[in-house]
């Protein structure tokens, strides 16, 4: 289950359509600010007083609402966060290898229920749209997170994320099995390795059979580039740290991003998750 949540983040980090779309299409404008409020159970600096109080939440809301660079401000309560995490786990069809097997859980004195998200371990979260890419660096500098942002009292951190490359390009993501590499979130259960060329071709054939759909084949190389060097913040003078030499293409699997003409057919999604070589469908 936890592996599933980690993988969802990777899905929307971006990828390449046939290795060339990223070079042709403009990167989406803008991004998102997230401000994370203190949960009840936390050992994070700045959360010594426990969960953020309603007064703290209102104070942070006033600060963010007054910022003209931000729009579409929303707040998710701890209960909302648990509901969203549970929904994501239920909606994502996955053949991922469990993060822990039963023996490992027993050794740690845990059960699968102990891994489920709980309100006590989740703080509320503010999210806001940053309309202009040109404002991302300044917003990030202005909201480094409490205690460096004293106006954000009751929060333990803040983050600025450029709008993902695939935003508004597709509704369905099919992730294929990757190689069995330590720390990879593309590892399929059952001891199998990466999806074969034949398995990739079979899945792509099904996707291209969607009448009116647009299919973007995703390369592992571009996913690695997105994760290590592809952050749009490089374009306005804030280079990323050098990519880790320990992370390679082997840590990822191919993907397909699909823009169907209407609401995705649940029967199609069920068919895809049963196809050999498929890790997950979202």
């Amino acid at each position: 289950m936890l592996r599933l949540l980690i993988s969802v983040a990777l899905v929307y980090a971006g990828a390449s359509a046939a290795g060339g779309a990223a070079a042709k299409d403009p990167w989406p404008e803008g991004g998102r600010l997230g401000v994370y409020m203190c949960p009840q159970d936390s050992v994070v600096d700045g959360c010594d007083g426990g969960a953020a109080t309603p007064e703290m939440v209102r104070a942070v809301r006033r600060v963010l609402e007054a910022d003209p660079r931000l729009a579409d401000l929303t707040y998710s309560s701890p209960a909302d966060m648990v509901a969203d995490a549970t929904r994501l786990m239920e909606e994502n069809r996955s053949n991922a290898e469990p993060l822990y097997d039963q023996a490992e859980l027993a050794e740690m004195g845990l059960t699968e229920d102990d891994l489920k998200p709980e309100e006590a371990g989740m703080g509320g979260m503010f999210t806001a749209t940053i309309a202009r890419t040109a404002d991302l660096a300044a917003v990030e500098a202005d909201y480094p997170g409490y205690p460096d942002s004293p106006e954000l009292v009751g929060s333990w951190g803040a983050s600025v994320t450029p709008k993902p490359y695939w935003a508004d390009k597709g509704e369905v993501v099919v992730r294929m099995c990757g190689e069995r590499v330590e720390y990879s979130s593309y590892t399929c259960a059952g001891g199998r390795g990466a999806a074969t060329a034949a398995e990739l071709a079979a899945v792509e054939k099904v996707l291209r059979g969607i009448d009116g759909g647009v299919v973007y084949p995703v390369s592992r190389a571009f996913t690695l580039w997105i994760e290590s060097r592809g952050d749009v913040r490089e374009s306005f003078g804030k280079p990323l740290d050098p990519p880790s030499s320990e992370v390679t293409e082997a840590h990822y699997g191919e993907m397909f991003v699909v823009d169907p003409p209407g609401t995705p057919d649940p029967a199609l999604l069920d068919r895809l998750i049963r196809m050999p070589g498929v890790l997950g469908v979202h």
Side-chain angles (χ1 to χ4, degrees), residues 117-165:
E118 297 180 350
E119 288 186 34
M122 286 192 168
M125 177 181 179
F126 282 100
T127 59
T129 298
I130 305 170
R132 302 193 320 144
T133 297
D135 289 333
L136 294 180
V139 170
E140 185 173 53
D142 289 344
Y143 300 111
Y146 191 82
D148 295 320
S149 296
E151 69 275 25
L152 301 183
V153 63
S155 69
W156 61 264
S159 66
V160 168
T161 308
K163 196 170 185 179
Y165 175 73

Side-chain angles (χ1 to χ4, degrees), residues 200-219:
L200 289 166
V203 170
E204 184 169 1
K205 182 179 179 179
V206 170
L207 297 175
R208 294 199 181 278
I210 301 174
D211 188 22
V214 179
V215 181
Y216 300 88
V218 175
S219 68

Side-chain angles (χ1 to χ4, degrees), residues 17-245:
K24 299 175 184 177
D25 298 345
W27 202 286
E29 181 74 10
R32 188 193 76 158
L33 169 69
V35 177
Y36 313 101
M37 306 303 292
C38 292
Q40 177 179 324
D41 297 337
S42 177
V43 294
V44 179
D45 290 343
C47 292
D48 297 339
T53 65
E55 291 76 15
M56 291 174 177
V57 172
R58 287 193 289 269
V60 171
R61 180 186 293 276
R62 288 194 293 269
V63 171
L64 300 179
E65 285 180 336
D67 192 326
R69 300 166 300 185
L70 306 179
D72 305 321
L73 179 68
T74 61
Y75 175 71
S76 299
S77 68
D80 295 332
M81 300 287 284
V82 170
D84 287 343
T86 302
R87 176 182 54 80
L88 281 174
M89 290 190 291
E90 292 174 349
E91 289 182 357
N92 281 269
R93 298 160 170 83
S94 178
N95 295 317
E97 188 172 76
L99 187 62
Y100 300 108
D101 60 29
Q102 293 298 322
E104 290 174 318
L105 288 174
E107 185 176 345
M108 293 184 288
L110 300 173
T111 67
E112 290 186 359
D113 286 341
D114 293 322
L115 301 181
K116 293 180 179 179
E118 297 180 350
E119 288 186 34
M122 286 192 168
M125 177 181 179
F126 282 100
T127 59
T129 298
I130 305 170
R132 302 193 320 144
T133 297
D135 289 333
L136 294 180
V139 170
E140 185 173 53
D142 289 344
Y143 300 111
Y146 191 82
D148 295 320
S149 296
E151 69 275 25
L152 301 183
V153 63
S155 69
W156 61 264
S159 66
V160 168
T161 308
K163 196 170 185 179
Y165 175 73
W166 288 114
D168 304 325
K169 288 185 173 69
E171 282 189 67
V172 178
V173 176
V174 180
R175 293 175 295 125
M176 305 299 293
C177 298
E179 299 176 34
R180 298 190 66 78
V181 178
E182 190 175 15
Y183 304 125
S184 171
S185 60
Y186 286 78
T187 303
C188 281
R192 66 155 295 152
T196 66
E199 290 168 341
L200 289 166
V203 170
E204 184 169 1
K205 182 179 179 179
V206 170
L207 297 175
R208 294 199 181 278
I210 301 174
D211 188 22
V214 179
V215 181
Y216 300 88
V218 175
S219 68
R220 292 189 297 171
F222 192 80
T223 303
L224 173 63
W225 180 77
I226 287 287
E227 291 294 310
S228 61
R229 300 299 298 170
D231 194 315
V232 72
R233 279 175 284 190
E234 285 190 305
S235 67
F236 52 81
K238 185 179 179 183
L240 299 176
D241 295 331
S244 170
S245 60

